[in-house]
Amino acid sequence: MALSFAVVASSSSIMCKAINANNHSHLQDLSYIKRAALISDKSAGFTSPHPNFGCVIVTPSVEVVGEGYLYAQGTKPAEVLAVEAAGERCRGATAYVNMEPGDCHGDDTAVSALVQAGITRAVIGMRHPLQHLRGNAIRALRSQGLQVDVLGEDMQSKLVEEARKACLLVNLPFVHRAASRVPFSVLKYAMTLDGKIAASSGHAAWISSKLSRNRVFELRGRSDAIIVGGNTVRRDNPRLTARHGGGHMPIRIVLSQSLDLPEEANLWDLSDVSTVVVTQRGARRSFQRYLASKGVEVVEFDILNPRDVMEYFHDRGYLSILWECGGTLAASAISSGVIHKVFAFVAPKIIGGKNAPSPVGELGMVEMSQALDLIDVCFELIGPDMLISGFLQPIPDLTPTIPSEDETFAIDPTVAPFEMSIIFFYKTWDLYGAFSNFSPHPIQMPDEDGNYVTWFSVEHYYQANKFIGVSNPPAQDCIDKIKSAKSPEEAARMGRLTQWRQPHLVRSDWESVKIDVMYRALKCKFSIYPHLNSMLLSTAGSVLVEASPHDLFWGGGRDGEGLNYLGRLLMKLRSEFLGESSAASENTCIAL
């Protein structure tokens, strides 16, 4: 190549121009991928347990004509929103997405939206972390004739790695969940310049500035849950709210081995958000009953340790957890390997005190060579404080992949990875996640006057039915709010909170009719979506279990103690559909 440049000057000039043009196009691609990652972050905290998706559509003349991001689980995909915004200008355009689309199993809404809109090229920041979804959308887009470029695979350079890292960081909780069995956990604390989180008396308000505290509220709003220990509850009586005027509110979790907690505490006020108390089995039974009377959920463990607790909340579908605990619990969590990142707010103050507590308790280290080093350390000045952040564990490398089902079968035809007698489902990104009542499948159901009304999901319809038929204006207002809720999660939160706070608004026969309400909604869903019907019928011979570890009515419970009514209703529907199919076949044979 060097020789040809030297001999043919004109060719050299043309090739240099081509290289420069390609570099310019390359930089544009990376810029728009970063833009997709940036807008996907707008819904941080709301999409959980789904990842954050963003999509940017750019014309051949390099004009951004459409953008969109996934607002929450069960809402329109980012790609659909971007296509709707761009309209006809999608023809011949390029779509930039921070992560490979991961539609509900059996759906191809995001893929079909791009194909039908006339998109000719897609640039993808990273493949989907979940193995059963990984590569599916990429293959589908390529099979439809689109050029698909994936960062780090089809496009490689230092700048590409930077853009790919931006895509990883915006979905770090989801990436960690795919690589381990614990949620992504952040330890946050504020300390003085001499490393104290409180005075010797225990007084801690306020170490950091108001600007730093506002940043903490932002961190809370991006988390699924906040964890504190019993000492924090006794000493500080925190509220642990996001305080951002609405929107996502993380669950509050208290870890207490002895359950030596005060009867009056701000965390027992469930007006805005729920609280879960995790304790050792058998601790203060009378106090457990007291908490239950307040609506506080109590979860018992045989031995209370952070690793088991995190695995449990992983099973509940939590992606990200913020630890705002004292030094003893922080040390235990770090030792258990469940803390992934640290946010340390350092205030320019000195308080001294031999007995003043520090942010991390005893870790058993005796030499500096044993100290834990942070990775990718960042320094940020926030008012008078310095925020130091970094990772205790590296970002998981998802490049080494487990072979797909097809690849595994090609290696060993006797292996059938998904052949099982029990099929578990819970969250909508599970292999059989479309079975969930939270899946994004609108249904049409008749109202009290016989007119058909569209509901965004089965969960919307189910929650609204708690208040249907109640001759009380607030009940109708609640129905309207649930119906217009942007996601199934929001509809569920509205319905549950209203049922808890204003039980007089709930229809008197609710406990006796709620199973039938769910059944009718499920039957509608699996009747109007053929691919869902086929997927349900494909499970014939298997037991279906809704794997929620905390819902003992609709789910199977943590140790199989749940009633699993959702799984039961699906198996009942499956039997009915199979019976109808058999009857139709017999009638056909008779006719022949």
Side-chain angles (χ1 to χ4, degrees), residues 29-38 40-41 51-54 96-100 123-127 129 151 160-175 395 398:
D29 284 341
L30 300 182
S31 173
Y32 291 129
I33 277 291
K34 288 182 178 179
R35 174 65 185 167
L38 181 65
S40 77
D41 196 48
N52 299 316
F53 285 104
Y96 296 88
V97 292
N98 61 301
M99 181 185 286
E100 175 186 12
V123 180
I124 294 175
M126 58 181 287
R127 289 177 180 260
L151 297 194
V160 166
E161 283 307 304
E162 291 178 2
R164 186 170 178 272
K165 187 173 182 179
C167 296
L168 279 168
L169 289 176
V170 80
N171 274 308
L172 202 51
F174 196 80
V175 171
I395 298 174
L398 297 180

Side-chain angles (χ1 to χ4, degrees), residues 132-154:
H132 67 276
L133 295 174
R134 189 172 188 147
N136 292 352
I138 293 172
R139 286 191 295 270
L141 288 169
R142 286 174 174 163
S143 71
Q144 293 295 322
L146 276 75
Q147 176 187 341
V148 180
D149 296 319
V150 183
L151 297 194
E153 298 177 22
D154 307 286

